[in-house]
Amino acid sequence: MKNQLLGLLFLGFIACDENRKEEAADQATFIVTVMDTLVIDPGNEILYLQYYLIQSQTDPDSRYLYNYNRGDNALEVIDLDSLRLDKKIRFDKEGPNGTGGYIQHVHYNGGNKILLAEFHQISLFNTKAEKVFQLNIVGQKFEGDTLNENESLVTGGLLDEEENYCITTYEQGFGVPLGIAKVHIQDKTLKKIPIPGLKDLAKFRVSFSDGQSKSASYPGVNLQLLNGKVLVSNSAVNELYTYDVRTDSLVHYLFKSRIMADRQKENPRTRVHSQEELNQVARERAKDVSFNRFVYDIQNKRYYRFSQKFEKETPEENIFSPVLTVFDDSLNQIFETDKLPIEKTFWKYFVKDGKLYLYENIEDEMGFIVLEIEKI
């Protein structure tokens, strides 16, 4: 059966702190300014710039950016201090150290292991591109919790800081997320952490099936490891779940905006009768509010998140405005603004030395717009 997923499904229960819902949007004031525009020196290589650097991560100090090059099946190591390509970690495609088929997800934050996931398996490699572990997604027997009928692990995920666990999400049927799945690498022990709020995202989902193939459009779910915790967010609702791997605790944060809607519009129908109808619904859904990932500023002890709100439709394209939201170290929302020195939404961004770096393709070179967010 051919499965086509329209939408970025990644990953992602929890004690809900309802008091956060009614907090004022702004408790502090910040000035956002463009400080610089930087370009990375690729040396004699051609850096992989497709898909907004979606398969890239930084280490906790943002000294290096690790970008997966699909064309070369390699991990590009970018030195963000010297602004140049430091090296490339090249992987075999086949053989005992082979990455296998189409790589769907990569996670590496500067540790000893690199996670590469393809459709049926998640593999871990060391920094010499040698395979040290392989987890089959289909048919794998686990100790501990059991995947129920019609449940499966999502191909992808991340490694905890000690690199003992592979953390992903598990889902029901065709892309309906249910919660976090924590797999111990050595023991292959599975622990499921249900998140009822993720299943509620089905309200924003629409699908089509003709009996031979399936297609679906649904909110993206983001799984990140920031500031010692796993963060689970989604593109449809102004909320966040955090999971502490060591204490096995889960917390739910629900935020409120004065600038944009706090959730996308629910679909009146969750199933349509043709691919064309699905495409039309997806185009309309693309005009809705969309919430992006969180990033952590270790220097100023703050979190940042970009979102986008729809402004108008033109014959050429839809026009959106970016929205920046600032949270304190305890994830209290303290500021939001759409009065920014940028005119478009940036989907890849990170914090380095207390400043926001926004990825920009500058004449086919890897570039970054640097923003300073100064509290006044």
Side-chain angles (χ1 to χ4, degrees):
M1 177 180 291
K2 178 183 178 183
N3 291 340
Q4 179 185 4
L5 299 185
L6 301 180
L8 177 63
L9 177 67
F10 213 164
L11 318 160
F13 174 116
I14 301 181
C16 181
D17 185 354
E18 291 291 349
N19 293 329
R20 296 181 183 275
K21 182 177 181 179
E22 302 303 329
E23 287 182 350
D26 295 352
Q27 300 176 10
T29 302
F30 294 83
I31 295 178
V32 183
T33 55
V34 175
M35 297 297 296
D36 206 349
T37 300
L38 308 174
V39 177
I40 302 299
D41 179 3
N44 297 322
E45 299 282 352
I46 297 176
L47 299 180
Y48 193 78
L49 306 181
Q50 285 85 336
Y51 308 111
Y52 306 101
L53 300 192
I54 195 171
Q55 297 289 13
S56 67
Q57 298 87 33
T58 59
D59 61 359
D61 297 324
S62 293
R63 168 68 194 278
Y64 293 98
L65 173 74
Y66 307 99
N67 181 45
Y68 178 67
N69 185 320
R70 186 174 303 281
D72 294 342
N73 197 30
L75 194 67
E76 300 168 345
V77 181
I78 312 295
D79 189 325
L80 294 172
D81 285 344
S82 62
L83 300 176
R84 63 179 180 83
L85 174 66
D86 182 69
K87 62 181 178 180
K88 293 176 74 171
I89 301 174
R90 301 180 184 273
F91 300 94
D92 293 336
K93 194 72 175 178
E94 306 294 340
N97 292 316
T99 55
Y102 184 84
I103 299 299
Q104 295 180 301
H105 175 69
V106 178
H107 178 261
Y108 180 60
N109 62 357
N112 296 317
K113 296 184 179 68
I114 304 165
L115 184 152
L116 296 176
E118 52 131 338
F119 184 67
H120 291 298
Q121 67 185 32
I122 296 173
S123 300
L124 301 184
F125 295 80
N126 60 27
T127 54
K128 296 180 181 180
E130 299 167 333
K131 186 182 293 187
V132 296
F133 175 79
Q134 180 173 304
L135 175 67
N136 295 321
I137 298 299
V138 180
Q140 179 69 54
K141 300 297 182 181
F142 296 102
E143 299 293 330
D145 291 342
T146 301
L147 291 171
N148 298 325
E149 186 177 356
N150 206 28
E151 289 182 354
S152 60
L153 298 182
V154 172
T155 302
L158 48 81
L159 297 172
D160 70 309
E161 292 179 321
E162 286 75 30
E163 299 185 332
N164 293 322
Y165 293 94
C166 173
I167 302 170
T168 182
T169 53
Y170 67 103
E171 63 184 16
Q172 181 182 60
F174 186 54
V176 179
L178 298 178
I180 296 172
K182 184 172 70 172
V183 179
H184 194 280
I185 294 173
Q186 297 299 326
D187 301 338
K188 293 186 179 179
T189 302
L190 171 66
K191 180 177 178 59
K192 299 192 299 186
I193 302 94
I195 305 178
L198 290 187
K199 194 170 183 179
D200 289 343
L201 295 178
K203 298 174 182 178
F204 313 102
R205 169 191 172 90
V206 60
S207 63
F208 163 70
S209 174
D210 61 4
Q212 296 182 341
S213 64
K214 294 180 180 180
S215 301
S217 174
Y218 49 84
V221 179
N222 299 310
L223 194 69
Q224 303 166 258
L225 184 63
L226 290 180
N227 200 20
K229 295 182 179 180
V230 177
L231 273 61
V232 186
S233 58
N234 66 81
S235 61
V237 183
N238 192 7
E239 65 181 352
L240 175 71
Y241 298 91
T242 65
Y243 174 67
D244 192 312
V245 179
R246 287 163 290 193
T247 63
D248 199 32
S249 59
L250 198 60
V251 180
H252 181 207
Y253 301 88
L254 191 60
F255 307 112
K256 190 171 182 62
S257 172
R258 292 188 289 105
I259 295 177
M260 57 190 169
D262 286 312
R263 58 196 292 119
Q264 295 179 358
K265 302 179 188 69
E266 297 180 10
N267 287 327
R269 293 178 299 160
T270 57
R271 294 184 181 180
V272 294
H273 302 293
S274 68
Q275 185 66 50
E276 292 74 18
E277 192 176 0
L278 175 63
N279 294 340
Q280 182 180 359
V281 172
R283 284 193 296 269
E284 287 301 310
R285 286 192 52 77
K287 299 177 184 178
D288 217 330
V289 64
S290 182
F291 305 97
N292 206 341
R293 294 167 173 256
F294 288 72
V295 293
Y296 185 65
D297 182 348
I298 192 171
Q299 180 171 305
N300 294 299
K301 308 299 182 185
R302 296 194 293 256
Y303 293 88
Y304 307 115
R305 184 199 63 193
F306 278 109
S307 307
Q308 73 171 17
K309 61 175 183 174
F310 176 74
E311 293 291 347
K312 62 181 179 179
E313 184 177 4
T314 71
E316 294 78 24
E317 61 180 348
N318 294 328
I319 305 300
F320 299 89
S321 292
V323 177
L324 174 67
T325 309
V326 183
F327 308 84
D328 66 16
D329 199 39
S330 299
L331 283 165
N332 297 298
Q333 181 178 314
I334 58 175
F335 180 72
E336 65 171 353
T337 183
D338 58 356
K339 305 298 189 272
L340 293 166
I342 54 176
E343 296 182 350
K344 68 176 184 179
T345 302
F346 289 82
W347 297 106
K348 185 63 187 183
Y349 51 92
F350 56 88
V351 180
K352 176 175 172 57
D353 301 328
K355 297 178 176 58
L356 265 174
Y357 280 54
L358 318 179
Y359 165 67
E360 178 78 304
N361 186 318
I362 301 176
E363 297 181 351
D364 292 331
E365 299 288 351
M366 183 185 292
F368 297 96
I369 297 172
V370 183
L371 299 184
E372 182 176 54
I373 304 175
E374 186 178 8
K375 186 176 181 179
I376 59 173

